[in-house]
Amino acid sequence: MPPMPNRPPAAPGARAVQPPVAGSAPAAAPPPRRPEAEEAPPRPGELICGQCGAGNVPTRRFCRRCGSSLADAPVVPRAPWWRRLFTRRTHAAGERPPRRQWRMPRFVLPVAVLLALAGAGYLFRAEALRGVEAVRDRASKPEQTHAVQVTASSAAAGHEPALAVDGTTDRYWAPAPSGPGQGEFLEAAFAGPVRLLDLVVRPGASPVAEKYLREGRPSALLLTATAKDGRTSTKTVRIADVPGEQRFHFAVSDVVRIRITVQGAYGADGDRHVALGEVEFFKRR
């Protein structure tokens, strides 16, 4: 066996380098380590883990990060609306923010409803006032009120206007012209403004049927109430051709006088006059 050749000793501190094997590729460098994404802070309504501070959805029982129990975990409070208006939501690195959508504040809808109701109340205030007066009319008992002055367009001899409000039914007012007397009127004035409710009319010359038919009787009357501010309200009432009282509802506020105009008559032919036996007025107490 031939002797091995002596190799010179390696210099101190030198490393042996293994020659590369033919056909082998150099080792690839490890990929750079990505920085961990920053986690978003807990959101309103989430459970805050007492161990690591991570936010968890309310349905979880254990922390998604560290596994600790969430039995006593506090809930992230919801910020007031005025703060949410001016606070922008933060997103973790790599999280795609959703499209920003404007949300109407909660107070806008109630305020809009109140404004709409106020506007409707202003537009329909007259109807509302009439409704209130109608309720008060039903709740009160009518009380008779008397006229302090009675005038007429004309009067036949012995049948002056005051006889239509004297409290008796066997004396009556009649216009001077005979016949239907259309357009002839009787007007009563009150001491002060009243809330008029009803009128009671007793047509004819007498409540006794035999005397009732001796003169003409009104078949229709036009009621014209004048308020203290000058505005007028009108109503046409149909009179039945029977003796006795006939009541008509005519609700008007602040009435100072009322005119009763003849619109037609029964049996007012020849030399007969239209007779109006008695008129009574009722107000709200």
Side-chain angles (χ1 to χ4, degrees), residues 20 35 58 67 88 121 141 171 196 236 241 278 280:
R88 299 186 63 182
K141 184 177 180 180
R171 296 188 297 178
L196 188 65
T236 300
D241 193 14
E278 190 73 14
E280 298 176 2

Side-chain angles (χ1 to χ4, degrees), residues 164-228:
V165 294
D166 63 350
T168 63
T169 57
D170 57 350
R171 296 188 297 178
Y172 57 91
W173 164 75
S178 59
Q182 189 168 0
E184 297 288 335
F185 64 85
L186 182 78
E187 188 168 277
F190 305 106
V194 298
R195 170 66 179 179
L196 188 65
L197 293 183
D198 298 309
L199 276 82
V200 171
V201 177
R202 290 181 171 86
S206 172
V208 180
E210 182 181 358
K211 297 180 180 180
Y212 173 82
L213 298 175
R214 291 179 181 177
E215 296 289 350
R217 292 83 57 193
S219 62
L221 298 174
L222 173 64
L223 309 179
T224 305
T226 302
K228 63 180 181 180

